[in-house]
Amino acid sequence: MDADHDVLEELLAGNERHVTGLPEEYFGTVQTGQEPDVVTICCSDSRVPQERMWGTDGPGTVFTPSNIGNQVWDDDAGERIVDGGLLYPIHHTGTDAVAVVGHTGCGAVTAAYNAATGGDLPGPAGVSKWVELLVPVVEEALESGLIDTDADESQIINQLVEYNVEYQTQFLRAADDDVVPADLDIYGFVYDFQGVYGDEHGRAYLVTVNGETDPDVIVDDVPDSYDATVRSLLH
């Protein structure tokens, strides 16, 4: 194969390993439809393994839209509407839980922070659009008193990541009931592969449950064995 197609060869080889490693009847229960338990909207960062982080063993469990900065909205003629990739499983496959998943060291949040503090949008236009949607969130966060603006930039960014996760979940909770059903469970996590929240890299730390952000309250919603997964850089 031409050396210019090394990546293509890697993709083909990887898919071959995938096919040969699948158990018999792997897709048996989802051949004609899907009923995922949860839709997880994550940042489209190559370091955030959307299904693997939950230890899923088969297909059809997690619906996985993603975008720059794990944003639950899109822009429609200047109006923010709930993203269709998130709404599809809720309205058409019976999904009754959402997980918004940010991650430590997020480049989108960093870019929005830079723009909010006098820098330029990163470009090109398709990237800048999503970063620009985050700028008001960052600006509000910096005025909220929850961000330690005297800390080093990496700490500020990680606090902003958590703030953004909480903000995105609140946007969903504020949507009309015919768009986002009132009985939908909405969780917020920060996926930590840098040891910011604790020593376990790859842990998804729970930062909000159905609008609640106080760790002392949230911890009552999880089994005792998962108490350590409830952490916050803000509260």
Side-chain angles (χ1 to χ4, degrees), residues 161-180:
V161 165
E162 183 175 322
Y163 189 96
N164 180 47
V165 168
E166 293 181 1
Y167 194 101
Q168 301 293 328
T169 63
Q170 294 291 1
F171 181 83
L172 291 178
R173 286 173 53 80
D176 292 342
D177 290 352
D178 60 342
V179 177
V180 178

Side-chain angles (χ1 to χ4, degrees), residues 15-33:
N15 182 246
E16 181 68 19
R17 293 191 299 271
H18 170 69
V19 170
T20 57
L22 288 180
E24 188 175 354
E25 293 300 315
Y26 180 77
F27 292 104
T29 61
V30 293
Q31 285 287 326
T32 59

Side-chain angles (χ1 to χ4, degrees), residues 189 200 203-207 222 225-231:
F189 295 88
E200 296 179 299
R203 175 73 66 186
Y205 288 95
L206 183 61
V207 298
V222 302
S225 57
Y226 297 112
D227 284 358
T229 69
V230 180
R231 298 281 179 87

